[in-house]
Amino acid sequence: MTKNKAALLCGILFGLGLAISQMNNPDKVLAFLDVTGNWDASLAFVMGGALITLATLQHFILKRHQPICDTEFHLPKTNNPIDKRLILGAILFGIGWGLVGFCPGAVLAAFGDGKIEPFLFTLALGAGMMLFNKFHETK
Amino acid sequence: MENFTPYSAFLGGSLIGLSAALLMYFNGRIAGISGMIAGAFDFKNSEHHWRLFFLGGLILAAVIFNLFAPHVPATYSRSTLLLIISGVLVGYGTRLGNGCTSGHAVCGMARLSIRSIVATVTFMAVAILTVFITRHLLGILQ
């Protein structure tokens, strides 16, 4: 298994997971966020399934000295400080997510709908990331 | 809650968790999609290849699923302007906050990262508030 083949396999599983759970349907995501309306709790079960599976498996995986295709695990420290950047970033993401119901993974998994909206959103998402790079390069 | 689909949600979520676990097992990487999108187009970095493969696999699997499996189509009631505003906010916000639903709410929370827990609670609360304001208070977005 090479890094690229492993990533392809993982991407396929991730995309299937998003499609099966319908998280690539923004109506479904907005219905989860609409707690005072006709609430649909499905997204919480997606997170639950993902967290239980990942937490269990990584317990064994991280006992290894290194991953199969690399010399080290690239993991962010879990005790990094909470700063303004993290909070502001989460707020901006939250507003954008609540307006349309797309997050970065879900929108890519919606390409199969054959509609223009996921592509438009992805272009804007890329523009937002480039804007960030521009703004933070000059600092 | 007539649209509640707990079984398919749990199954799909488990596949997402399995994907993240395998990516850690093979490549030693976090399955954070916003970081992967940013890194996939950083052509100076030799690590951009596997990210393109992951994103390609994600798109391919979802496209094939949508072609062959019965599913409820999305209504897409948002205007072009709103899609663009939202996309820019999500792109900029996830870079500023170092992650999105996959990186913080799944991978980070599974590792009990305090930063990820704080980020997840924040973006969930803000998104819920955004829907409440636009759907119920203002009644402009359904």
Side-chain angles (χ1 to χ4, degrees):
Chain A
M1 191 72 100
T2 64
K3 260 188 201 178
N4 291 349
K5 276 188 202 155
L8 181 68
L9 170 74
C10 293
I12 288 170
L13 288 172
F14 206 103
L16 269 184
L18 285 169
I20 289 172
S21 61
Q22 300 177 61
M23 288 301 109
N24 55 355
N25 182 342
D27 300 337
K28 191 92 177 148
V29 174
L30 291 173
F32 169 79
L33 297 172
D34 189 11
V35 289
T36 61
N38 189 12
W39 192 48
D40 176 355
S42 303
L43 191 147
F45 282 69
V46 179
M47 269 187 65
L51 284 172
I52 292 168
T53 308
L54 176 58
T56 309
L57 293 175
Q58 80 178 356
H59 175 75
F60 300 101
I61 293 166
L62 294 179
K63 281 186 178 157
R64 297 175 53 91
H65 293 294
Q66 62 184 72
I68 302 289
C69 312
D70 204 326
T71 53
E72 58 175 324
F73 288 106
H74 305 268
L75 304 173
K77 288 199 186 84
T78 54
N79 58 351
N80 278 341
I82 290 148
D83 48 17
K84 259 194 239 160
R85 234 188 92 156
L86 180 80
I87 304 289
L88 185 62
I91 290 173
L92 295 178
F93 168 44
I95 297 171
W97 195 33
L99 284 175
V100 170
F102 272 144
C103 58
V107 72
L108 296 182
F111 281 7
D113 281 0
K115 295 276 166 58
I116 189 78
E117 282 85 350
F119 295 97
L120 274 176
F121 183 94
T122 306
L123 284 177
L125 180 119
M129 288 183 171
M130 282 193 260
L131 212 64
F132 170 82
N133 288 343
K134 272 245 148 60
F135 193 65
H136 283 262
E137 262 170 10
T138 52
K139 280 193 174 172
Chain B
M1 292 218 298
E2 71 265 27
N3 298 319
F4 184 42
T5 51
Y7 301 111
S8 61
F10 193 82
L11 173 67
S14 302
L15 284 176
I16 291 170
L18 177 65
S19 160
L22 288 177
L23 193 68
M24 193 181 282
Y25 179 68
F26 285 111
N27 293 9
R29 295 285 180 171
I30 294 285
I33 307 298
S34 57
M36 228 182 280
I37 293 174
F41 297 96
D42 181 7
F43 297 119
K44 282 168 276 175
N45 184 344
S46 64
E47 290 286 307
H48 78 269
H49 284 116
W50 70 263
R51 294 188 167 97
L52 286 173
F53 273 90
F54 185 103
L55 298 174
L58 191 164
I59 294 170
L60 186 74
V63 166
I64 291 173
F65 183 92
N66 270 13
L67 280 177
F68 297 106
H71 63 282
V72 185
T75 53
Y76 292 124
S77 55
R78 300 293 188 258
S79 68
T80 301
L81 179 67
L82 198 67
L83 280 169
I84 290 170
I85 293 170
S86 165
V88 170
L89 284 170
V90 171
Y92 192 93
T94 52
R95 293 316 298 140
L96 189 67
N98 294 106
C100 57
T101 12
S102 48
H104 280 313
V106 176
C107 296
M109 297 239 292
R111 297 170 59 230
L112 299 177
S113 154
I114 304 295
R115 267 173 69 85
S116 289
I117 294 168
V118 170
T120 304
V121 170
T122 307
F123 65 65
M124 284 265 179
V126 171
I128 286 169
L129 193 67
T130 303
V131 170
F132 179 72
I133 293 171
T134 55
R135 190 173 277 191
H136 299 292
L137 279 188
L138 304 175
I140 47 173
L141 295 175
Q142 286 314 305

